[in-house]
Structure formats: C-alpha cells, structure tokens
Amino acid sequence: MTVTIVKPGLLTTIQDLGRFGSQKYGVIVSGAMDAYSLRIANILVGNLESEAVIEVSLFGTVLQFNDDHLIALTGGDLTATINNEPTPLWRPFIVKKGDVLKFKRAHKGCRAYVSFAGGIQVPTVMNSKSTYLKAGMGGFEGRALQKQDEVIIGPYTKKNKEIHQYAIQLVGPASWSVNYNELISLNQQQTIRVMPSTEWDSFTTESQQCLTNNSYTLSTEADRMGYRFEGPALSLTEKFELLSEAVTFGTVQIPPSGKPIILMADRQTTGGYPKMVQVITADLASLAQLQTGAKIHFELVTLEEAQQALIANEQKIKTIAAAIRCSAKLS
C-alpha cells in the first residue's frame, strides 16, 4: 500500500518514539512530540507501540490512500475529514482506495497522529525512523513530507488482519473511542507539573514563587525544538558562568531575558542556560498539544509524585491495549 501526500500542510513528518543512545555523538533524540498519542495510534491498528506514524501539525495536510487500509487518528482534533465527511478519532477504521484525508484547522490541540496497520516502510537510521530535520536524516529522505511524496506502508501482521476484520464492523458513527482525557489534555489553559532542577536554588525566592503563582503564555517562538513563554521574568540570586551540560525533553531553561524556554522533542543534546525546573514525563504529551497563545501554570511536585503520575499513565495505556484486545478478540 502507498499513501500520496497531496498537500504537506504546515509541517508533516514521519516520527516514532525517538533515536535513543546517540546523544553522546551529538545526535538528538527527536521522535513524536506527543508520545502517548503515537503509542495509542499504533495500539489501535495492532502495530508495535514504537512504530513510525505521520505527525501532522495544525492544518493543511492532505493525504490520498491508494489502497484499502486500516488506520487510526489520535492526538489533537485538527478537524479531519475523509472525503469531506468527519473522520472517526481515537478508534481504528478502514479507508478505501481513493479516499482523501484532510486536516482543515486546529480545533483542539496542535498535533495529530496517523498510524497505518503494518507500519511505515522507511529506512531505520541509528535504530529509529524518526525525522531529524536539521541533520537531514531519518524519516522520508531526512525531510518533512512534500507534495507528491509516496509513503510506502508495510504488510499486515496477524494482529493487523484481526483488527481490520473487527474494524469492518465499526461503520457509521463511532460506537466507541478511546477516552484520552485522563491521559492527555488538549486544553489551551493547562497546569503543567514540574520538579526542581539543578539550578533551582540559584534563583531568588521571589522568582521561585513567581514561577508557580503566575501564568505564562506560549509565544510565537514555538516549534519542535522548544517553546518560549512570555510572563514575569525570573532572576538568579547572582550571575554565574555555567558549563553546558545534558538537557532532556521538558527541561525548563531560563535565558538572560528571564523568560522560560521549555525544550521539546528536537531539543539540542546540551544546554548552557540555568535549568530551573523539569516538566514531568506524564505532562509532556499535554505540553506538546499547546498552540501559540496558550496559557500554563507551573505546579511544583516531588519526584515521588512525578513517578506516581507516570506509573498511572502507563497503567492507563495498558488498560486501553487490553480493552482493544478484548473487543477485537485478538488471538
């Protein structure tokens, strides 16, 4: 099976869960901005959770299917349609040869994920299919998808075939869909939980209180590499030189302007700005769904609370996978 890119939209790339183990060589992790949505999209069609999908940003992307196939759409509600009819979200469904999938505008959230039973057939580079745009590696020829690109989809596995047969019964209005609300928030006013990071104690008491007592607004300087926020400036107790050191998804750096920058999926491997707090893993998917102008409040939590939130989310994903196995009567 192949899928034709009729219109690439704002930014459409192939992503999986990321390229781990190569940061020591200066190669970033990359991967899906919203990993929870990617994993559930793959579960819905019977793929491995780590399989590559198409990540769509905001609006404008148009895909045409050249064969009948089993797919799923998760993540943000980007007003997706199939042949100008509303598309089922957060459940498996069958597309027919010639069907056209359009993403018109961002209604809720910022990024949508399209999974294909059998996965996407692109070369694996350093153990990942993810697109690393600046280095021109991974994904589809190392770049964002463009008009008339033909994306090749792999053959069905036994599980893919079983879910395909199950999805045939799900015609018309959705009889069910995954309840993602306890896992991912698509709201544009959110509370994002953070833990103190390595330079927390180097900030003034007033700045520590300011961070959690005020809202911050996502600026237009927001992409897959990082989010810059507008709001009250944060200050160090005294200026000091800081050697560059490792950073990760969700690291909150404070540059000289005092305005927070949150590092995202395409972050650099090291950074030299003071690291005030770290967004907890459980909230990264919700963070990835923010649009420009969104407002967040930072809530300080402990390491134990962060671990409990992550464990709870992983249990929810396991429950979703078990429910799909049961509904589709997978062998």
Side-chain angles (χ1 to χ4, degrees):
M1 176 196 169
T2 60
V3 178
T4 301
I5 310 302
V6 179
K7 293 182 180 180
L10 186 65
L11 177 65
T12 303
T13 59
I14 293 172
Q15 301 291 346
D16 58 20
L17 289 179
R19 186 169 284 107
F20 293 93
S22 299
Q23 291 186 86
K24 59 188 175 183
Y25 306 119
V27 178
I28 66 172
V29 174
S30 197
M33 288 279 277
D34 175 355
Y36 286 158
S37 289
L38 177 145
R39 292 169 63 187
I40 294 172
N42 278 317
I43 290 169
L44 285 168
V45 297
N47 291 341
L48 294 176
E49 291 183 24
S50 58
E51 182 54 65
V53 304
I54 289 180
E55 180 182 84
V56 178
S57 300
L58 289 173
F59 61 85
T61 303
V62 180
L63 311 177
Q64 183 170 40
F65 300 94
N66 301 319
D67 304 272
D68 295 1
H69 210 76
L70 172 68
I71 71 168
L73 264 62
T74 62
D77 180 354
L78 306 189
T79 323
T81 62
I82 294 280
N83 303 331
N84 296 317
E85 294 294 328
T87 305
L89 302 176
W90 294 91
R91 52 161 271 200
F93 65 98
I94 308 296
V95 291
K96 300 294 184 181
K97 180 178 180 179
D99 281 354
V100 175
L101 170 61
K102 297 180 181 178
F103 295 89
K104 295 185 176 181
R105 63 180 179 85
H107 175 58
K108 291 181 179 180
C110 181
R111 293 175 174 84
Y113 295 85
V114 188
S115 63
F116 306 86
I120 296 175
Q121 289 196 326
V122 292
T124 298
V125 180
M126 301 179 81
N127 301 313
S128 174
K129 297 179 182 179
S130 283
T131 309
Y132 177 7
L133 292 169
K134 289 191 175 181
M137 64 184 285
F140 192 98
E141 299 178 0
R143 57 171 172 78
L145 293 171
Q146 299 176 3
K147 184 176 181 179
Q148 297 306 312
D149 283 344
E150 296 278 338
V151 178
I152 300 173
I153 309 302
Y156 277 11
T157 64
K158 181 181 179 182
K159 185 182 292 187
N160 295 146
K161 292 176 182 177
E162 290 174 338
I163 295 183
H164 184 114
Q165 290 303 311
Y166 169 67
I168 291 173
Q169 306 167 31
L170 303 177
V171 294
S175 55
W176 64 270
S177 61
V178 170
N179 180 7
Y180 62 86
N181 293 304
E182 293 184 356
L183 193 65
I184 303 163
S185 174
L186 302 180
N187 295 331
Q188 298 305 297
Q189 291 191 21
Q190 292 191 30
T191 296
I192 298 295
R193 293 168 289 182
V194 295
M195 299 180 298
S197 192
T198 49
E199 281 76 56
W200 169 259
D201 290 332
S202 297
F203 286 85
T204 64
T205 301
E206 292 78 12
S207 290
Q208 292 173 350
Q209 294 172 346
C210 185
L211 180 74
T212 55
N213 291 340
N214 293 277
S215 66
Y216 285 81
T217 302
L218 182 57
S219 74
T220 55
E221 296 180 78
D223 57 20
R224 281 183 49 86
M225 186 173 182
Y227 287 177
R228 186 184 296 271
F229 285 84
E230 295 295 334
L234 305 166
S235 303
L236 295 163
T237 55
E238 60 180 355
K239 293 183 179 180
F240 60 90
E241 293 294 325
L242 183 67
L243 293 175
S244 292
E245 53 188 21
V247 292
T248 189
F249 200 161
T251 296
V252 182
Q253 294 185 312
I254 311 299
S257 67
K259 306 299 178 67
I261 298 172
I262 304 182
L263 302 184
M264 302 299 287
D266 280 356
R267 65 205 174 271
Q268 69 273 22
T269 57
T270 62
Y273 292 139
K275 298 173 290 300
M276 189 175 189
V277 289
Q278 173 70 39
V279 177
I280 70 171
T281 302
D283 284 359
L284 292 176
S286 298
L287 183 66
Q289 292 294 348
L290 295 178
Q291 302 174 21
T292 294
K295 294 183 180 298
I296 66 171
H297 280 85
F298 292 102
E299 178 186 347
L300 209 60
V301 298
T302 64
L303 175 60
E304 182 180 4
E305 289 171 325
Q307 291 172 333
Q308 289 173 346
L310 179 59
I311 291 169
N313 280 359
E314 290 299 323
Q315 185 56 53
K316 290 168 190 172
I317 293 176
K318 288 182 180 179
T319 300
I320 290 167
I324 292 168
R325 285 196 301 271
C326 182
S327 298
K329 300 178 180 179
L330 301 181
S331 58

